[in-house]
Amino acid sequence: MTVRVGVVGTGMIGSDHVARLSTQVAGAAVTAVFDVATDRAREVAASAGARSLASWQDVVAADDVDAVLVASPGEVHPEQVVACIAAGKPVLCEKPLATSAAQAVRVLEAEVASGRRSVQVGFMRRYDPGYLDVRRAITDGVIGEPLLAHAVHRNAGVPDFFRGEMALTDSVVHEIDVFRWLFGAEIAAVTVVPVRRSPLAAGDLRDPQLVVLELTGGQVVTVESFVNCRYGYDVRCEVVGSTGTVSLDNPRTTAVRTAGARSERVPADWQERFAPAYLEELRAWVDGLAAGRVDGPSTWDGYAATAVAEAAVRSSREGRRVDVELVPRPDLYA
Ligand code: ISE
């Protein structure tokens, strides 16, 4: 059975997903796309042998669409995901699920009312071989009790639309999810520590930033976010346990030794660094759909990450530690 996918949003990540689904994911085909940029949508559609439709609603409703991939801007995700739930169409929604906790609750309520899981959120790091190794070291007890972690999340640069607190809501949201997943705990409080602003920071961005996450298991995670570091895309972490540590560095590539120096490549951007994770995420999603299940990062994970990011924004604005308050976790996400 081929899973026929409709893609809403054919920007950077959406067009990458269309290419992967139509050429690298067995059992999947892209049959319809939509984007407000109609020329780009037509080009992407043509590349996949799909149709470019007049609205995202048409994609959701199309008879030749079994499942939807939402890769539009974050502020429209809740409306589009709720429409997919109402149409009975499984949906993979790119992060963030929503740009506010209240909007994310709207999706939670719709999915709980439907009585079944149909939403997966695009936290692709859970499919990255490196992060899976880190998680295995923790769950196998190789490092003892995980106590704290240190993470850096550096982008060489960001697009012009990247403004305000997006470093927290669109970038650090990945660490928020991945450390919830690694430690199997919720985040109880957030503190954003002011850092000297880079003279190269774009627009109104506070850059770099240091974020301290306190988990309900007592673990503490420090996250350095630097979205304009210039030298490359550098995402690393070290988890410190009671008897050892596990570190994730950039993927090992070739090392050049010459003139008394040794150099290795740093990935250029998230598309390069996480290409394997995005592909594995799509393969797992499509395989799950073919087997009649949705079991990746859930609406609850999307809601919790958005609620924590919202608390981080408050901490940044108010200059204080902010407790994270979550609604009761529905049984659907036990
Ligand atoms: C982007 O949207 C991503 O999801 C990348 O993983 C992250 O590194 C980048 O900062 C975000 O803007």
Side-chain angles (χ1 to χ4, degrees), residues 95 124 153 155 162 170-171 174 233 270:
K95 41 60 65 181
M124 82 292 174
H153 183 168
N155 285 250
F162 199 101
D170 194 68
S171 192
H174 282 294
Y233 185 78
W270 47 269

Side-chain angles (χ1 to χ4, degrees), residues 149 151 174-185 215 221 237 239:
H174 282 294
E175 274 75 20
I176 292 170
D177 177 69
V178 89
F179 284 103
R180 287 182 62 252
W181 175 69
L182 287 173
F183 289 158
L215 283 91
V221 179
C237 73
V239 177

Side-chain angles (χ1 to χ4, degrees), residues 112-132:
V112 168
S114 77
R116 65 190 181 95
R117 275 208 53 198
S118 60
V119 179
Q120 177 168 326
V121 181
F123 289 122
M124 82 292 174
R125 291 192 187 182
R126 298 189 185 199
Y127 298 88
D128 178 69
Y131 278 101
L132 285 164

